[in-house]
Amino acid sequence: MREQLTALRNEMSRNGIDLYLIPTGDFHGSEYLHDYFKTREYISGFTGSAGTLVVTKDEARLWTDGRYFLQAAMELADTGIDLMKDKEPGVPSITEYIKEVLKKLSHPVIGFDGRVVSCESGRSFATLAEEFNGSVLCNVDLAGAVWANRPVLKGSNIWQLPLDSAGLPFEAKIKEVRNLMEKAGADYHLITTLDDNAWLYNLRGSDVARTPVFFSYTLITPADVILYIFSGNCSSDIIPEGIKVKEYFNPGEDKLSIIEDLEKLPSGCKILVDVKTSPYSIITAIPEDVDLIETDYIPTSRLKACKNPAEIESTKAAHINDGIAMVNFIHWIKEAMSNNSDQTEISASDYLEKERASLPGFLDLSFDTISGYMDHGAIVHYGATEETNASLRPEGFLLVDSGGQYETGTTDITRTIALGPLTQKMKECYTVVLKGHAQLAMAKFKDGTTGMELDKLAKAPLDAYGISFNHGTGHGVGHVLCVHEGPQRINTISQEPIIPGMITSNEPGYYLEGEFGIRIENEILCVMDSDASESKGGEKIYSFQNLTCCPYERDAIIKEMLTPEEIAYIDDYHYWVYNSLENKISPQASKWLKEVCQPL
């Protein structure tokens, strides 16, 4: 039993709380968190980026998705916390579990910190409590109360993204946002998400590891644009003209200033909000006589999803740069293995980071590198530690999922690397995953095609072979922003159309527990396919353009399993990779690259 869990239960008892929820979240609905907000990790010991902990007097359960089943099972062992494999057969949802708990209690109390729970979730918890004659207590940060040496929440330096990378000035962006507010019938607009604020102002920071954003809120009023930040970390000359700046917290308090201003909104006005990402405590601060216009995606979300021409050209340069680091790294690790050099998962990850850091415009990694050898590669979001750090051998697969943040763009790439001889099974599985990857990359599709429809293309070859993977095929990618960005997704449920300007990942995989993992990931840009559109009589037909510039694993490909179209795709891709990088990498790496990029 973790002592943190015991301390939390003591606080629950003191506050009269029967069930306490700790999600993975911050004051902005972010995916990646400042250390201050890692309360779920502090209490449970589970380090994955997604999960919700539910604690009662006698039980503790943690829900997470398929990416983390293996990792969570290891990290939750002997903690007193049960792993709940979300959406697996026979596993109750969080809501179903809460109902089972509440029906056994008289006037139950559900507790949570309403600043880190989305409004949508907070409402559902309040409805559940009411159903069982109970109530919610949403102003209690019990995890924080028992965290003795909690990291300090403070802002970092805020800087301006060059216009040749951003593409559009603030004035053009706010004009479009106001136009969309008017179409929605809104007088006011609240922006709580960090990447939306960073995109709007063409500003970046480092308040969150691996993501160049800064703690901020925006309130757009009929007359003003108000930006709430830690102002001491921002030079006034980089704030766009006409912006009112207010402090993130009320002076001398830990109350968010945005809450105080929302409480003063005029009666009868209309405010545009996103209840999926905006915190419960912030939305419930809005007076009842103010009309909420609720949307799944606020204007900035869709605007930033479709990259402008300058962003596209800039990110293409970022990916060529990133390809230099990746090719130098892959060549190095293969040479190290052939020379029986002592290397580990962590040393490989460190070498790749140094390669990226040596490139112009490098800011940071875009997420912690996943470097998993053999069975560790089967853990989808594995993170090597000193305790788990495996020695690499000149055989089998090393799965490396990594990316960089540059002033020119954000990259995300996975390559499964053969460190030496492979089994026939490994080669077959790799080739099948590559077939799925190629099918999505080659797709031509009509206007209105959703991520759900495209997901089927990537999975069809795996389905035919009798294997599958327990994660989405693709996610949106930000521009010098979050490596995971919406609204576009390529998965089994996304109804969002994929349209020109959107960048997504293409990353099918296969994970055999206890043996090996395979994932192949490129970033792809949706473009208008002019040839196909002309042949269809002017009907809009779209296709994808690869941005990621790095060869596939030649030693794992079984040519006989590929169709002529797939072979042509791979050959064309390798031709582009070699010609893009041959003069930008070391002579030794260039010689190796030429060999592996020869036509199949």
Side-chain angles (χ1 to χ4, degrees), residues 170 174 178 191 200-201 217-228 240-245:
F170 164 78
I174 193 64
R178 284 197 180 278
I191 304 176
L200 178 63
Y201 300 101
Y217 295 100
T218 292
L219 182 61
I220 302 175
T221 77
D224 299 308
V225 177
I226 308 170
L227 173 63
Y228 301 78
E241 188 175 346
I243 302 302
K244 287 188 175 181
V245 176

mmCIF file with all atom_site columns, all heavy atoms in Angstrom, residues 170 174 178 191 200-201 217-228 240-245:
data_model
loop_
_atom_site.group_PDB
_atom_site.id
_atom_site.type_symbol
_atom_site.label_atom_id
_atom_site.label_alt_id
_atom_site.label_comp_id
_atom_site.label_asym_id
_atom_site.label_entity_id
_atom_site.label_seq_id
_atom_site.pdbx_PDB_ins_code
_atom_site.Cartn_x
_atom_site.Cartn_y
_atom_site.Cartn_z
_atom_site.occupancy
_atom_site.B_iso_or_equiv
_atom_site.pdbx_formal_charge
_atom_site.auth_seq_id
_atom_site.auth_comp_id
_atom_site.auth_asym_id
_atom_site.auth_atom_id
_atom_site.pdbx_PDB_model_num
ATOM 1   N N   . PHE A 1 170 ? -1.034  38.252 -35.523 1.00 0.00 ? 170 PHE A N   1
ATOM 2   C CA  . PHE A 1 170 ? -2.144  38.195 -34.572 1.00 0.00 ? 170 PHE A CA  1
ATOM 3   C C   . PHE A 1 170 ? -3.381  38.900 -35.102 1.00 0.00 ? 170 PHE A C   1
ATOM 4   O O   . PHE A 1 170 ? -4.508  38.412 -34.948 1.00 0.00 ? 170 PHE A O   1
ATOM 5   C CB  . PHE A 1 170 ? -1.717  38.832 -33.239 1.00 0.00 ? 170 PHE A CB  1
ATOM 6   C CG  . PHE A 1 170 ? -2.868  39.176 -32.337 1.00 0.00 ? 170 PHE A CG  1
ATOM 7   C CD1 . PHE A 1 170 ? -3.511  38.193 -31.601 1.00 0.00 ? 170 PHE A CD1 1
ATOM 8   C CD2 . PHE A 1 170 ? -3.321  40.490 -32.238 1.00 0.00 ? 170 PHE A CD2 1
ATOM 9   C CE1 . PHE A 1 170 ? -4.580  38.510 -30.773 1.00 0.00 ? 170 PHE A CE1 1
ATOM 10  C CE2 . PHE A 1 170 ? -4.386  40.810 -31.420 1.00 0.00 ? 170 PHE A CE2 1
ATOM 11  C CZ  . PHE A 1 170 ? -5.022  39.825 -30.684 1.00 0.00 ? 170 PHE A CZ  1
ATOM 12  N N   . ILE A 1 174 ? -7.081  37.214 -35.007 1.00 0.00 ? 174 ILE A N   1
ATOM 13  C CA  . ILE A 1 174 ? -8.172  37.658 -34.135 1.00 0.00 ? 174 ILE A CA  1
ATOM 14  C C   . ILE A 1 174 ? -9.362  38.132 -34.967 1.00 0.00 ? 174 ILE A C   1
ATOM 15  O O   . ILE A 1 174 ? -10.515 37.976 -34.556 1.00 0.00 ? 174 ILE A O   1
ATOM 16  C CB  . ILE A 1 174 ? -7.690  38.763 -33.162 1.00 0.00 ? 174 ILE A CB  1
ATOM 17  C CG1 . ILE A 1 174 ? -8.732  38.989 -32.058 1.00 0.00 ? 174 ILE A CG1 1
ATOM 18  C CG2 . ILE A 1 174 ? -7.406  40.061 -33.885 1.00 0.00 ? 174 ILE A CG2 1
ATOM 19  C CD1 . ILE A 1 174 ? -8.953  37.811 -31.147 1.00 0.00 ? 174 ILE A CD1 1
ATOM 20  N N   . ARG A 1 178 ? -13.038 36.625 -34.397 1.00 0.00 ? 178 ARG A N   1
ATOM 21  C CA  . ARG A 1 178 ? -14.224 37.459 -34.145 1.00 0.00 ? 178 ARG A CA  1
ATOM 22  C C   . ARG A 1 178 ? -15.316 37.194 -35.182 1.00 0.00 ? 178 ARG A C   1
ATOM 23  O O   . ARG A 1 178 ? -16.510 37.210 -34.855 1.00 0.00 ? 178 ARG A O   1
ATOM 24  C CB  . ARG A 1 178 ? -13.830 38.932 -34.135 1.00 0.00 ? 178 ARG A CB  1
ATOM 25  C CG  . ARG A 1 178 ? -13.110 39.372 -32.849 1.00 0.00 ? 178 ARG A CG  1
ATOM 26  C CD  . ARG A 1 178 ? -13.115 40.892 -32.716 1.00 0.00 ? 178 ARG A CD  1
ATOM 27  N NE  . ARG A 1 178 ? -12.449 41.367 -31.526 1.00 0.00 ? 178 ARG A NE  1
ATOM 28  C CZ  . ARG A 1 178 ? -12.986 41.432 -30.306 1.00 0.00 ? 178 ARG A CZ  1
ATOM 29  N NH1 . ARG A 1 178 ? -14.248 41.013 -30.137 1.00 0.00 ? 178 ARG A NH1 1
ATOM 30  N NH2 . ARG A 1 178 ? -12.310 41.901 -29.286 1.00 0.00 ? 178 ARG A NH2 1
ATOM 31  N N   . ILE A 1 191 ? -11.023 31.290 -23.995 1.00 0.00 ? 191 ILE A N   1
ATOM 32  C CA  . ILE A 1 191 ? -10.048 30.316 -24.492 1.00 0.00 ? 191 ILE A CA  1
ATOM 33  C C   . ILE A 1 191 ? -9.201  29.871 -23.312 1.00 0.00 ? 191 ILE A C   1
ATOM 34  O O   . ILE A 1 191 ? -8.472  30.670 -22.720 1.00 0.00 ? 191 ILE A O   1
ATOM 35  C CB  . ILE A 1 191 ? -9.144  30.914 -25.586 1.00 0.00 ? 191 ILE A CB  1
ATOM 36  C CG1 . ILE A 1 191 ? -9.983  31.473 -26.736 1.00 0.00 ? 191 ILE A CG1 1
ATOM 37  C CG2 . ILE A 1 191 ? -8.177  29.851 -26.109 1.00 0.00 ? 191 ILE A CG2 1
ATOM 38  C CD1 . ILE A 1 191 ? -9.168  32.160 -27.824 1.00 0.00 ? 191 ILE A CD1 1
ATOM 39  N N   . LEU A 1 200 ? -2.763  31.817 -31.161 1.00 0.00 ? 200 LEU A N   1
ATOM 40  C CA  . LEU A 1 200 ? -3.445  33.078 -31.454 1.00 0.00 ? 200 LEU A CA  1
ATOM 41  C C   . LEU A 1 200 ? -2.489  34.262 -31.431 1.00 0.00 ? 200 LEU A C   1
ATOM 42  O O   . LEU A 1 200 ? -2.520  35.125 -32.314 1.00 0.00 ? 200 LEU A O   1
ATOM 43  C CB  . LEU A 1 200 ? -4.573  33.286 -30.444 1.00 0.00 ? 200 LEU A CB  1
ATOM 44  C CG  . LEU A 1 200 ? -5.366  34.596 -30.566 1.00 0.00 ? 200 LEU A CG  1
ATOM 45  C CD1 . LEU A 1 200 ? -6.086  34.668 -31.914 1.00 0.00 ? 200 LEU A CD1 1
ATOM 46  C CD2 . LEU A 1 200 ? -6.370  34.719 -29.415 1.00 0.00 ? 200 LEU A CD2 1
ATOM 47  N N   . TYR A 1 201 ? -1.613  34.317 -30.435 1.00 0.00 ? 201 TYR A N   1
ATOM 48  C CA  . TYR A 1 201 ? -0.729  35.472 -30.260 1.00 0.00 ? 201 TYR A CA  1
ATOM 49  C C   . TYR A 1 201 ? 0.636   35.303 -30.945 1.00 0.00 ? 201 TYR A C   1
ATOM 50  O O   . TYR A 1 201 ? 1.460   36.217 -30.893 1.00 0.00 ? 201 TYR A O   1
ATOM 51  C CB  . TYR A 1 201 ? -0.505  35.728 -28.777 1.00 0.00 ? 201 TYR A CB  1
ATOM 52  C CG  . TYR A 1 201 ? -1.766  36.013 -28.000 1.00 0.00 ? 201 TYR A CG  1
ATOM 53  C CD1 . TYR A 1 201 ? -2.364  35.028 -27.215 1.00 0.00 ? 201 TYR A CD1 1
ATOM 54  C CD2 . TYR A 1 201 ? -2.380  37.264 -28.056 1.00 0.00 ? 201 TYR A CD2 1
ATOM 55  C CE1 . TYR A 1 201 ? -3.524  35.276 -26.505 1.00 0.00 ? 201 TYR A CE1 1
ATOM 56  C CE2 . TYR A 1 201 ? -3.543  37.522 -27.345 1.00 0.00 ? 201 TYR A CE2 1
ATOM 57  C CZ  . TYR A 1 201 ? -4.114  36.523 -26.570 1.00 0.00 ? 201 TYR A CZ  1
ATOM 58  O OH  . TYR A 1 201 ? -5.268  36.783 -25.870 1.00 0.00 ? 201 TYR A OH  1
ATOM 59  N N   . TYR A 1 217 ? -4.848  32.287 -20.148 1.00 0.00 ? 217 TYR A N   1
ATOM 60  C CA  . TYR A 1 217 ? -6.257  32.282 -20.531 1.00 0.00 ? 217 TYR A CA  1
ATOM 61  C C   . TYR A 1 217 ? -6.482  33.506 -21.404 1.00 0.00 ? 217 TYR A C   1
ATOM 62  O O   . TYR A 1 217 ? -5.749  34.494 -21.316 1.00 0.00 ? 217 TYR A O   1
ATOM 63  C CB  . TYR A 1 217 ? -7.187  32.374 -19.315 1.00 0.00 ? 217 TYR A CB  1
ATOM 64  C CG  . TYR A 1 217 ? -7.134  31.187 -18.391 1.00 0.00 ? 217 TYR A CG  1
ATOM 65  C CD1 . TYR A 1 217 ? -6.395  31.242 -17.204 1.00 0.00 ? 217 TYR A CD1 1
ATOM 66  C CD2 . TYR A 1 217 ? -7.831  30.023 -18.679 1.00 0.00 ? 217 TYR A CD2 1
ATOM 67  C CE1 . TYR A 1 217 ? -6.342  30.154 -16.350 1.00 0.00 ? 217 TYR A CE1 1
ATOM 68  C CE2 . TYR A 1 217 ? -7.784  28.926 -17.828 1.00 0.00 ? 217 TYR A CE2 1
ATOM 69  C CZ  . TYR A 1 217 ? -7.039  29.002 -16.672 1.00 0.00 ? 217 TYR A CZ  1
ATOM 70  O OH  . TYR A 1 217 ? -6.985  27.919 -15.831 1.00 0.00 ? 217 TYR A OH  1
ATOM 71  N N   . THR A 1 218 ? -7.512  33.431 -22.230 1.00 0.00 ? 218 THR A N   1
ATOM 72  C CA  . THR A 1 218 ? -7.927  34.592 -23.015 1.00 0.00 ? 218 THR A CA  1
ATOM 73  C C   . THR A 1 218 ? -9.423  34.794 -22.853 1.00 0.00 ? 218 THR A C   1
ATOM 74  O O   . THR A 1 218 ? -10.189 33.829 -22.912 1.00 0.00 ? 218 THR A O   1
ATOM 75  C CB  . THR A 1 218 ? -7.597  34.403 -24.513 1.00 0.00 ? 218 THR A CB  1
ATOM 76  O OG1 . THR A 1 218 ? -6.187  34.419 -24.692 1.00 0.00 ? 218 THR A OG1 1
ATOM 77  C CG2 . THR A 1 218 ? -8.201  35.522 -25.353 1.00 0.00 ? 218 THR A CG2 1
ATOM 78  N N   . LEU A 1 219 ? -9.819  36.042 -22.638 1.00 0.00 ? 219 LEU A N   1
ATOM 79  C CA  . LEU A 1 219 ? -11.228 36.415 -22.650 1.00 0.00 ? 219 LEU A CA  1
ATOM 80  C C   . LEU A 1 219 ? -11.395 37.500 -23.710 1.00 0.00 ? 219 LEU A C   1
ATOM 81  O O   . LEU A 1 219 ? -10.825 38.595 -23.582 1.00 0.00 ? 219 LEU A O   1
ATOM 82  C CB  . LEU A 1 219 ? -11.681 36.927 -21.281 1.00 0.00 ? 219 LEU A CB  1
ATOM 83  C CG  . LEU A 1 219 ? -13.170 37.298 -21.181 1.00 0.00 ? 219 LEU A CG  1
ATOM 84  C CD1 . LEU A 1 219 ? -14.055 36.075 -21.454 1.00 0.00 ? 219 LEU A CD1 1
ATOM 85  C CD2 . LEU A 1 219 ? -13.488 37.906 -19.814 1.00 0.00 ? 219 LEU A CD2 1
ATOM 86  N N   . ILE A 1 220 ? -12.127 37.166 -24.755 1.00 0.00 ? 220 ILE A N   1
ATOM 87  C CA  . ILE A 1 220 ? -12.412 38.134 -25.811 1.00 0.00 ? 220 ILE A CA  1
ATOM 88  C C   . ILE A 1 220 ? -13.770 38.755 -25.511 1.00 0.00 ? 220 ILE A C   1
ATOM 89  O O   . ILE A 1 220 ? -14.777 38.045 -25.389 1.00 0.00 ? 220 ILE A O   1
ATOM 90  C CB  . ILE A 1 220 ? -12.419 37.459 -27.193 1.00 0.00 ? 220 ILE A CB  1
ATOM 91  C CG1 . ILE A 1 220 ? -11.068 36.776 -27.463 1.00 0.00 ? 220 ILE A CG1 1
ATOM 92  C CG2 . ILE A 1 220 ? -12.712 38.481 -28.287 1.00 0.00 ? 220 ILE A CG2 1
ATOM 93  C CD1 . ILE A 1 220 ? -11.023 35.977 -28.753 1.00 0.00 ? 220 ILE A CD1 1
ATOM 94  N N   . THR A 1 221 ? -13.794 40.061 -25.345 1.00 0.00 ? 221 THR A N   1
ATOM 95  C CA  . THR A 1 221 ? -15.018 40.796 -25.040 1.00 0.00 ? 221 THR A CA  1
ATOM 96  C C   . THR A 1 221 ? -15.419 41.611 -26.264 1.00 0.00 ? 221 THR A C   1
ATOM 97  O O   . THR A 1 221 ? -14.662 41.679 -27.255 1.00 0.00 ? 221 THR A O   1
ATOM 98  C CB  . THR A 1 221 ? -14.804 41.733 -23.835 1.00 0.00 ? 221 THR A CB  1
ATOM 99  O OG1 . THR A 1 221 ? -14.080 42.896 -24.281 1.00 0.00 ? 221 THR A OG1 1
ATOM 100 C CG2 . THR A 1 221 ? -14.018 41.042 -22.718 1.00 0.00 ? 221 THR A CG2 1
ATOM 101 N N   . PRO A 1 222 ? -16.577 42.253 -26.235 1.00 0.00 ? 222 PRO A N   1
ATOM 102 C CA  . PRO A 1 222 ? -16.941 43.090 -27.392 1.00 0.00 ? 222 PRO A CA  1
ATOM 103 C C   . PRO A 1 222 ? -15.923 44.180 -27.700 1.00 0.00 ? 222 PRO A C   1
ATOM 104 O O   . PRO A 1 222 ? -15.768 44.573 -28.864 1.00 0.00 ? 222 PRO A O   1
ATOM 105 C CB  . PRO A 1 222 ? -18.286 43.690 -26.961 1.00 0.00 ? 222 PRO A CB  1
ATOM 106 C CG  . PRO A 1 222 ? -18.872 42.664 -26.034 1.00 0.00 ? 222 PRO A CG  1
ATOM 107 C CD  . PRO A 1 222 ? -17.689 42.119 -25.276 1.00 0.00 ? 222 PRO A CD  1
ATOM 108 N N   . ALA A 1 223 ? -15.191 44.637 -26.682 1.00 0.00 ? 223 ALA A N   1
ATOM 109 C CA  . ALA A 1 223 ? -14.260 45.750 -26.887 1.00 0.00 ? 223 ALA A CA  1
ATOM 110 C C   . ALA A 1 223 ? -12.792 45.365 -26.767 1.00 0.00 ? 223 ALA A C   1
ATOM 111 O O   . ALA A 1 223 ? -11.925 46.034 -27.331 1.00 0.00 ? 223 ALA A O   1
ATOM 112 C CB  . ALA A 1 223 ? -14.566 46.870 -25.885 1.00 0.00 ? 223 ALA A CB  1
ATOM 113 N N   . ASP A 1 224 ? -12.488 44.275 -26.035 1.00 0.00 ? 224 ASP A N   1
ATOM 114 C CA  . ASP A 1 224 ? -11.102 43.984 -25.688 1.00 0.00 ? 224 ASP A CA  1
ATOM 115 C C   . ASP A 1 224 ? -10.722 42.524 -25.932 1.00 0.00 ? 224 ASP A C   1
ATOM 116 O O   . ASP A 1 224 ? -11.586 41.655 -26.079 1.00 0.00 ? 224 ASP A O   1
ATOM 117 C CB  . ASP A 1 224 ? -10.846 44.294 -24.205 1.00 0.00 ? 224 ASP A CB  1
ATOM 118 C CG  . ASP A 1 224 ? -11.069 45.756 -23.863 1.00 0.00 ? 224 ASP A CG  1
ATOM 119 O OD1 . ASP A 1 224 ? -10.488 46.606 -24.556 1.00 0.00 ? 224 ASP A OD1 1
ATOM 120 O OD2 . ASP A 1 224 ? -11.824 46.028 -22.915 1.00 0.00 ? 224 ASP A OD2 1
ATOM 121 N N   . VAL A 1 225 ? -9.412  42.312 -25.923 1.00 0.00 ? 225 VAL A N   1
ATOM 122 C CA  . VAL A 1 225 ? -8.844  40.972 -25.838 1.00 0.00 ? 225 VAL A CA  1
ATOM 123 C C   . VAL A 1 225 ? -7.961  40.979 -24.586 1.00 0.00 ? 225 VAL A C   1
ATOM 124 O O   . VAL A 1 225 ? -7.004  41.748 -24.502 1.00 0.00 ? 225 VAL A O   1
ATOM 125 C CB  . VAL A 1 225 ? -8.010  40.612 -27.076 1.00 0.00 ? 225 VAL A CB  1
ATOM 126 C CG1 . VAL A 1 225 ? -7.383  39.224 -26.902 1.00 0.00 ? 225 VAL A CG1 1
ATOM 127 C CG2 . VAL A 1 225 ? -8.867  40.641 -28.335 1.00 0.00 ? 225 VAL A CG2 1
ATOM 128 N N   . ILE A 1 226 ? -8.319  40.134 -23.614 1.00 0.00 ? 226 ILE A N   1
ATOM 129 C CA  . ILE A 1 226 ? -7.610  40.111 -22.336 1.00 0.00 ? 226 ILE A CA  1
ATOM 130 C C   . ILE A 1 226 ? -6.811  38.819 -22.241 1.00 0.00 ? 226 ILE A C   1
ATOM 131 O O   . ILE A 1 226 ? -7.361  37.726 -22.395 1.00 0.00 ? 226 ILE A O   1
ATOM 132 C CB  . ILE A 1 226 ? -8.589  40.208 -21.147 1.00 0.00 ? 226 ILE A CB  1
ATOM 133 C CG1 . ILE A 1 226 ? -9.522  41.413 -21.317 1.00 0.00 ? 226 ILE A CG1 1
ATOM 134 C CG2 . ILE A 1 226 ? -7.819  40.313 -19.824 1.00 0.00 ? 226 ILE A CG2 1
ATOM 135 C CD1 . ILE A 1 226 ? -10.663 41.445 -20.310 1.00 0.00 ? 226 ILE A CD1 1
ATOM 136 N N   . LEU A 1 227 ? -5.519  38.949 -21.981 1.00 0.00 ? 227 LEU A N   1
ATOM 137 C CA  . LEU A 1 227 ? -4.616  37.813 -21.857 1.00 0.00 ? 227 LEU A CA  1
ATOM 138 C C   . LEU A 1 227 ? -4.166  37.698 -20.405 1.00 0.00 ? 227 LEU A C   1
ATOM 139 O O   . LEU A 1 227 ? -3.621  38.650 -19.835 1.00 0.00 ? 227 LEU A O   1
ATOM 140 C CB  . LEU A 1 227 ? -3.403  38.001 -22.773 1.00 0.00 ? 227 LEU A CB  1
ATOM 141 C CG  . LEU A 1 227 ? -2.266  36.983 -22.667 1.00 0.00 ? 227 LEU A CG  1
ATOM 142 C CD1 . LEU A 1 227 ? -2.749  35.585 -23.047 1.00 0.00 ? 227 LEU A CD1 1
ATOM 143 C CD2 . LEU A 1 227 ? -1.088  37.397 -23.542 1.00 0.00 ? 227 LEU A CD2 1
ATOM 144 N N   . TYR A 1 228 ? -4.398  36.539 -19.799 1.00 0.00 ? 228 TYR A N   1
ATOM 145 C CA  . TYR A 1 228 ? -4.041  36.284 -18.403 1.00 0.00 ? 228 TYR A CA  1
ATOM 146 C C   . TYR A 1 228 ? -2.779  35.423 -18.383 1.00 0.00 ? 228 TYR A C   1
ATOM 147 O O   . TYR A 1 228 ? -2.802  34.269 -18.825 1.00 0.00 ? 228 TYR A O   1
ATOM 148 C CB  . TYR A 1 228 ? -5.174  35.555 -17.681 1.00 0.00 ? 228 TYR A CB  1
ATOM 149 C CG  . TYR A 1 228 ? -6.491  36.298 -17.685 1.00 0.00 ? 228 TYR A CG  1
ATOM 150 C CD1 . TYR A 1 228 ? -7.306  36.303 -18.819 1.00 0.00 ? 228 TYR A CD1 1
ATOM 151 C CD2 . TYR A 1 228 ? -6.922  36.994 -16.553 1.00 0.00 ? 228 TYR A CD2 1
ATOM 152 C CE1 . TYR A 1 228 ? -8.515  36.986 -18.827 1.00 0.00 ? 228 TYR A CE1 1
ATOM 153 C CE2 . TYR A 1 228 ? -8.142  37.672 -16.550 1.00 0.00 ? 228 TYR A CE2 1
ATOM 154 C CZ  . TYR A 1 228 ? -8.926  37.665 -17.696 1.00 0.00 ? 228 TYR A CZ  1
ATOM 155 O OH  . TYR A 1 228 ? -10.129 38.345 -17.696 1.00 0.00 ? 228 TYR A OH  1
ATOM 156 N N   . PRO A 1 240 ? 1.099   41.613 -28.698 1.00 0.00 ? 240 PRO A N   1
ATOM 157 C CA  . PRO A 1 240 ? 0.487   42.373 -29.785 1.00 0.00 ? 240 PRO A CA  1
ATOM 158 C C   . PRO A 1 240 ? -0.196  43.643 -29.272 1.00 0.00 ? 240 PRO A C   1
ATOM 159 O O   . PRO A 1 240 ? -0.751  43.671 -28.172 1.00 0.00 ? 240 PRO A O   1
ATOM 160 C CB  . PRO A 1 240 ? -0.534  41.390 -30.370 1.00 0.00 ? 240 PRO A CB  1
ATOM 161 C CG  . PRO A 1 240 ? 0.019   40.047 -30.057 1.00 0.00 ? 240 PRO A CG  1
ATOM 162 C CD  . PRO A 1 240 ? 0.677   40.198 -28.717 1.00 0.00 ? 240 PRO A CD  1
ATOM 163 N N   . GLU A 1 241 ? -0.148  44.662 -30.078 1.00 0.00 ? 241 GLU A N   1
ATOM 164 C CA  . GLU A 1 241 ? -0.705  45.963 -29.686 1.00 0.00 ? 241 GLU A CA  1
ATOM 165 C C   . GLU A 1 241 ? -2.199  45.846 -29.413 1.00 0.00 ? 241 GLU A C   1
ATOM 166 O O   . GLU A 1 241 ? -2.936  45.180 -30.132 1.00 0.00 ? 241 GLU A O   1
ATOM 167 C CB  . GLU A 1 241 ? -0.458  46.979 -30.802 1.00 0.00 ? 241 GLU A CB  1
ATOM 168 C CG  . GLU A 1 241 ? -0.820  48.403 -30.434 1.00 0.00 ? 241 GLU A CG  1
ATOM 169 C CD  . GLU A 1 241 ? -0.449  49.393 -31.528 1.00 0.00 ? 241 GLU A CD  1
ATOM 170 O OE1 . GLU A 1 241 ? 0.311   49.007 -32.440 1.00 0.00 ? 241 GLU A OE1 1
ATOM 171 O OE2 . GLU A 1 241 ? -0.934  50.538 -31.464 1.00 0.00 ? 241 GLU A OE2 1
ATOM 172 N N   . GLY A 1 242 ? -2.634  46.509 -28.347 1.00 0.00 ? 242 GLY A N   1
ATOM 173 C CA  . GLY A 1 242 ? -4.055  46.545 -28.008 1.00 0.00 ? 242 GLY A CA  1
ATOM 174 C C   . GLY A 1 242 ? -4.506  45.458 -27.059 1.00 0.00 ? 242 GLY A C   1
ATOM 175 O O   . GLY A 1 242 ? -5.674  45.433 -26.648 1.00 0.00 ? 242 GLY A O   1
ATOM 176 N N   . ILE A 1 243 ? -3.616  44.544 -26.695 1.00 0.00 ? 243 ILE A N   1
ATOM 177 C CA  . ILE A 1 243 ? -3.975  43.454 -25.789 1.00 0.00 ? 243 ILE A CA  1
ATOM 178 C C   . ILE A 1 243 ? -3.889  43.947 -24.343 1.00 0.00 ? 243 ILE A C   1
ATOM 179 O O   . ILE A 1 243 ? -2.920  44.596 -23.949 1.00 0.00 ? 243 ILE A O   1
ATOM 180 C CB  . ILE A 1 243 ? -3.043  42.243 -25.972 1.00 0.00 ? 243 ILE A CB  1
ATOM 181 C CG1 . ILE A 1 243 ? -3.099  41.756 -27.411 1.00 0.00 ? 243 ILE A CG1 1
ATOM 182 C CG2 . ILE A 1 243 ? -3.419  41.115 -25.000 1.00 0.00 ? 243 ILE A CG2 1
ATOM 183 C CD1 . ILE A 1 243 ? -4.457  41.369 -27.879 1.00 0.00 ? 243 ILE A CD1 1
ATOM 184 N N   . LYS A 1 244 ? -4.898  43.635 -23.558 1.00 0.00 ? 244 LYS A N   1
ATOM 185 C CA  . LYS A 1 244 ? -4.847  43.904 -22.126 1.00 0.00 ? 244 LYS A CA  1
ATOM 186 C C   . LYS A 1 244 ? -4.256  42.691 -21.418 1.00 0.00 ? 244 LYS A C   1
ATOM 187 O O   . LYS A 1 244 ? -4.710  41.561 -21.648 1.00 0.00 ? 244 LYS A O   1
ATOM 188 C CB  . LYS A 1 244 ? -6.245  44.187 -21.578 1.00 0.00 ? 244 LYS A CB  1
ATOM 189 C CG  . LYS A 1 244 ? -6.821  45.532 -21.964 1.00 0.00 ? 244 LYS A CG  1
ATOM 190 C CD  . LYS A 1 244 ? -8.115  45.807 -21.207 1.00 0.00 ? 244 LYS A CD  1
ATOM 191 C CE  . LYS A 1 244 ? -8.635  47.210 -21.493 1.00 0.00 ? 244 LYS A CE  1
ATOM 192 N NZ  . LYS A 1 244 ? -9.878  47.488 -20.730 1.00 0.00 ? 244 LYS A NZ  1
ATOM 193 N N   . VAL A 1 245 ? -3.261  42.904 -20.596 1.00 0.00 ? 245 VAL A N   1
ATOM 194 C CA  . VAL A 1 245 ? -2.617  41.806 -19.879 1.00 0.00 ? 245 VAL A CA  1
ATOM 195 C C   . VAL A 1 245 ? -2.996  41.855 -18.412 1.00 0.00 ? 245 VAL A C   1
ATOM 196 O O   . VAL A 1 245 ? -2.909  42.913 -17.769 1.00 0.00 ? 245 VAL A O   1
ATOM 197 C CB  . VAL A 1 245 ? -1.079  41.880 -20.025 1.00 0.00 ? 245 VAL A CB  1
ATOM 198 C CG1 . VAL A 1 245 ? -0.406  40.801 -19.188 1.00 0.00 ? 245 VAL A CG1 1
ATOM 199 C CG2 . VAL A 1 245 ? -0.684  41.726 -21.486 1.00 0.00 ? 245 VAL A CG2 1
#
